[in-house]
Amino acid sequence: MMLQFERVVATGTAALDSGIGDTALKTFNGETYLYSTTGRGGGIVSWHLVEGASPQEQDQQYFGASITHQVGRIGTPVHLAGNDRLILDVDTATGLVGYSLNADGTIGALQETGGLTGGGDIASAVQMTIGTSNLLVLAHEDTDQIGSYRINGDGSLSPANSVAASATVLKTLQSGSNHFVITADTAGNTISSYTVNQGTGALSEVDGNEAIRTLGINTPTAVEAVQAYGKSWVVVAGVGSNSLSVLELASNGQLKPADHVLDTLHTRFASVQDIAAVQVEGRVFVVAGGGDDGITLFTMTPDGQLVHMDSFADTLDSGLQNVQTISVAPVGDELQIFAASQQDAGLTQLSVSIADLGLVAEGYGTVTGTAQGDMLSGGILDTTLHGGAGDDILITGTSATTMTGGAGADTYVIRESSGPTVITDFQAGIDRLDLSDYPFLRTPAQLDFTSTAQGARISYRDEVIELHSDTGATLTSEQVFGAGFDGPDHIPVNLDSGPDNNTSAGVAGRFTLSSASPNAALGDAELRFTPDGGSALVAQANAQGEFELDLPDGTFPGQLDITKSYSTASSEITALDALQVLRMSVGLDPIWGPAAAENFIAADITRDGAVNALDALAILQVAVGQPTEHDAEWVFLEANADLSGISRNNVVYETGAEVTAVDGALSVDMTSILLGNIEAV
């Protein structure tokens, strides 16, 4: 997919063409209109979008004398009791100020609602419908409040509640049956989510979003929200970090990082000022631009990864110096992209053809595409992907994946921790190999690249790709990668995954593990599910023991293994435990009576199959905080495991459990034991 520069459109009037601060889209009767807004002394222009042609100027409106010296540069369409309006940011207004929008794209009269508790000086606004209730959420600049208002039948607004918080961007998104407002505060450098009470419309901030703070998003300037691929996604632009971040919104309102990309010399979103996202025929596209004098186009995969499609650098004709605002709309068989510059007058129009979009499919076994541009993803078992004709995007699964792109310019996306990968028909100079998900890979020189008789063999860490050329001839690194990688840098978002010494305390004894609820015994643990015939899927539990293995629908038997470190802060292991083990090592009972099988397992911290004085020494070292070769950790066994043969000199057992996942859910009874902690069972 290529970005095509079309033209710069303008009215010819400086007050309406220069300093465009915002653009907004609205559809009436199947026709799409774009509204551009300038600041003080300016006004609004309405443009009718036409497929394959220049947008037609539909109307223009200079700001009235009462607001022209107080108005900001934002314009947001809302619907109030049968009337559409473009609401504005007006410094001294007490109510919500805006112009009526007519169904033919023309601009009507200036209107103002009754006074609002937070005033009419707003930084952002978002509207949502929950059941039969219509709500409007406003970010009030003067009072540093986010206010929720019910829209009454006559178009007036009644306050639901307000929270003390600043926001420069508001977006609304549903996850599961719950509704949320996502906020970004540029000055405060924060991103937050708020749940919306479905009965009252009241906002409540969601806790537990610490994970997004590790991404390094600096000065968020724009947010987009979209539901796609059965999930809810938030995309955040960071001007100070030159970054785009994809976050998955869970049904409890927590935001989980899915991808984080940084601008490079090959992309055009450094100092990113605005982004726009659109969903077309099941595909998500993200457009970004800012101080880098150009536009970058991405598509999003079903697991939230941004795949770079194209970047367009400013020319003498294109007017893309310091992009301020972006809007994108599907118009017929093309995406029309409109960008306004902080320096150049008018609106820059670019286009992308979407005439040949194919299907989006994910699975295992054999997955076959169409004659159009498909997006096919491998699953948790061995998969063969056939793209067919068209410009396809083929994405590896977690097990072995064989990919055949067929005719067209295909993109092969290799995910980290994929199984062995074979590409059968790579077309040098036409197809593209995307390795951006590999952590810390920045140049082809880091790869172990070996030319073979039929193509090439590429290795990186534990990843292996067998690349066969479409001609059956050998391939060089230059033929595959050219002068180097041409996309953004992807930064790992799960560097803090895996158990560590700062893990939360555990719970000893029998428990029921469930993927549908918190598990106190699994706080901060790492879970590894290996389906029969497939490769391992790894999930990191949060402090409450909640985890998501991202399993597809279907029935998958396999092995579940759990790793959880000992929390030194819990002080569960003491010198008394070392004394108990010393008694057990010489055949004496613990102080409470005969030892159970679980006690022998806990005592064998060295895991050499017997309880002896070395175990007592290692446990004492753990208890007093001294270095030891044998760290304490939790072990997890099937609850019905046969432990009858375990004794002081025979500590042999199997960890993990055989489980069957059904439609993405699993449940199993297990027993957790902390090595080094000796307690009565």
Side-chain angles (χ1 to χ4, degrees):
M1 304 185 79
M2 300 290 291
L3 289 164
Q4 176 66 44
F5 169 67
E6 300 291 350
R7 59 188 62 84
V8 175
V9 296
T11 66
T13 303
L16 301 176
D17 295 334
S18 297
I20 296 174
D22 200 6
T23 54
L25 296 162
K26 183 70 179 178
T27 299
F28 292 107
N29 302 318
E31 300 295 324
T32 302
Y33 298 89
L34 176 77
Y35 299 89
S36 59
T37 306
T38 54
R40 300 183 179 189
I44 305 166
V45 180
S46 170
W47 303 88
H48 179 210
L49 305 190
V50 181
E51 182 179 4
S54 173
Q56 300 172 353
E57 183 183 337
Q58 197 75 1
D59 198 6
Q60 56 180 242
Q61 173 67 58
Y62 289 93
F63 294 133
S66 62
I67 66 169
T68 190
H69 298 298
Q70 305 172 48
V71 68
R73 297 198 300 167
I74 69 165
T76 305
V78 299
H79 187 79
L80 302 179
N83 297 308
D84 290 287
R85 300 183 193 178
L86 189 73
I87 59 173
L88 306 170
D89 168 22
V90 179
D91 286 346
T92 60
T94 58
L96 197 61
V97 177
Y99 283 90
S100 295
L101 301 179
N102 301 320
D104 61 357
T106 58
I107 303 168
L110 181 67
Q111 300 186 33
E112 182 174 2
T113 67
L116 303 175
T117 55
D121 186 9
I122 60 170
S124 186
V126 67
Q127 186 172 1
M128 70 185 75
T129 300
I130 303 178
T132 59
S133 299
N134 290 316
L135 298 174
L136 188 64
V137 180
L138 305 174
H140 296 287
E141 287 190 87
D142 286 343
T143 57
D144 286 335
Q145 290 181 322
I146 301 174
S148 173
Y149 298 86
R150 290 184 294 273
I151 303 174
N152 301 316
D154 60 357
S156 62
L157 303 176
S158 298
N161 88 317
S162 64
V163 294
S166 296
T168 47
V169 184
L170 301 175
K171 293 293 178 180
T172 181
L173 189 60
Q174 183 175 348
S175 182
S177 60
N178 299 319
H179 295 258
F180 301 93
V181 171
I182 311 300
T183 73
D185 180 25
T186 300
N189 206 30
T190 59
I191 301 159
S192 305
S193 58
Y194 292 82
T195 184
V196 183
N197 185 289
Q198 301 195 29
T200 65
L203 304 176
S204 301
E205 186 171 5
V206 175
D207 295 326
N209 280 323
E210 292 79 8
I212 61 177
R213 298 188 178 97
T214 65
L215 291 179
I217 302 172
N218 187 358
T219 318
T221 51
V223 176
E224 283 290 277
V226 62
Q227 283 186 299
Y229 315 126
K231 298 180 180 180
S232 300
W233 305 99
V234 176
V235 185
V236 180
V239 62
S241 48
N242 305 316
S243 65
L244 300 176
S245 304
V246 181
L247 313 172
E248 182 184 348
L249 178 68
S251 59
N252 63 0
Q254 292 182 350
L255 295 165
K256 175 185 176 183
D259 198 10
H260 184 71
V261 300
L262 303 180
D263 178 72
T264 66
L265 293 175
H266 306 286
T267 54
R268 289 285 169 172
F269 62 94
S271 301
V272 57
Q273 191 67 34
D274 199 17
I275 55 176
V278 64
Q279 186 173 182
V280 184
E281 296 184 20
R283 289 273 293 275
V284 175
F285 297 95
V286 177
V287 181
D292 209 10
D293 300 348
I295 293 291
T296 294
L297 171 69
F298 296 92
T299 190
M300 184 192 295
T301 69
D303 60 355
Q305 181 178 344
L306 293 175
V307 177
H308 177 239
M309 304 306 295
D310 194 21
S311 288
F312 180 86
D314 187 30
T315 68
L316 292 176
D317 299 321
S318 61
L320 290 173
Q321 291 188 76
N322 296 332
V323 172
Q324 172 68 28
T325 179
I326 299 171
S327 287
V328 57
V331 183
D333 285 337
E334 63 185 9
L335 288 181
Q336 292 191 358
I337 300 167
F338 294 90
S341 162
Q342 295 178 3
Q343 293 180 259
D344 300 314
L347 290 168
T348 299
Q349 181 184 7
L350 298 96
S351 67
V352 177
S353 174
I354 53 174
D356 293 322
L357 288 184
L359 61 83
V360 177
E362 183 174 9
Y364 54 91
T366 299
V367 181
T368 302
T370 68
Q372 297 177 299
D374 307 304
M375 180 185 285
L376 308 180
S377 303
I380 66 172
L381 302 180
D382 292 354
T383 307
T384 298
L385 303 178
H386 290 289
D391 299 341
D392 304 307
I393 298 176
L394 306 182
I395 307 166
T396 58
T398 56
S399 293
T401 307
T402 299
M403 301 190 286
T404 301
D410 303 311
T411 300
Y412 299 95
V413 179
I414 314 300
R415 293 192 289 191
E416 181 192 6
S417 301
S418 299
T421 299
V422 177
I423 298 172
T424 67
D425 63 340
F426 187 84
Q427 304 172 86
I430 299 175
D431 293 341
R432 184 161 64 97
L433 186 60
D434 186 335
L435 306 182
S436 59
D437 197 42
Y438 285 176
F440 310 114
L441 179 63
R442 298 292 176 265
T443 169
Q446 295 174 255
L447 300 169
D448 183 2
F449 190 103
T450 304
S451 297
T452 64
Q454 295 180 317
R457 187 176 191 271
I458 303 172
S459 300
Y460 181 73
R461 300 170 70 172
D462 296 327
E463 314 282 350
V464 178
I465 305 167
E466 292 289 345
L467 200 60
H468 299 167
S469 69
D470 64 320
T471 62
T474 188
L475 291 169
T476 66
S477 179
E478 290 73 20
Q479 288 176 305
V480 176
F481 300 112
F485 302 141
D486 61 358
D489 285 341
H490 286 250
I491 305 302
V493 297
N494 58 350
L495 289 177
D496 60 344
S497 65
D500 57 45
N501 288 332
N502 295 317
T503 186
S504 57
V507 178
R510 184 171 177 141
F511 71 100
T512 298
L513 180 152
S514 173
S515 61
S517 63
N519 301 273
L522 300 183
D524 298 315
E526 181 183 88
L527 294 90
R528 182 178 295 266
F529 175 67
T530 306
D532 293 348
S535 299
L537 298 172
V538 180
Q540 179 71 40
N542 62 18
Q544 291 74 44
E546 298 168 310
F547 63 93
E548 175 57 64
L549 282 166
D550 201 20
L551 290 162
D553 288 343
T555 301
F556 300 97
Q559 173 74 19
L560 179 67
D561 294 294
I562 304 170
T563 305
K564 178 177 168 64
S565 297
Y566 167 59
S567 171
T568 54
S570 69
S571 301
E572 293 175 277
I573 297 176
T574 67
L576 179 59
D577 292 307
L579 176 61
Q580 303 279 35
V581 172
L582 191 60
R583 289 173 59 89
M584 294 165 63
S585 70
V586 296
L588 298 176
D589 291 334
I591 58 176
W592 64 78
E598 291 85 351
N599 297 136
F600 289 119
I601 293 173
D604 184 22
I605 194 172
T606 63
R607 304 186 78 165
D608 62 358
V611 178
N612 51 49
L614 290 178
D615 294 304
L617 175 60
I619 292 171
L620 184 60
Q621 289 172 322
V622 171
V624 299
Q626 293 296 313
T628 175
E629 296 180 5
H630 307 286
D631 293 327
E633 62 178 316
W634 291 84
V635 295
F636 296 84
L637 295 68
E638 287 193 59
N640 61 354
D642 182 6
L643 306 180
S644 60
I646 290 181
S647 65
R648 172 169 61 97
N649 295 314
N650 184 44
V651 187
V652 179
Y653 56 95
E654 296 290 335
T655 60
E658 292 289 334
V659 299
T660 298
V662 179
D663 293 338
L666 56 84
S667 178
V668 61
D669 292 332
M670 302 195 75
T671 297
S672 56
I673 300 171
L674 175 58
L675 300 185
N677 181 220
I678 316 302
E679 296 180 347
V681 177

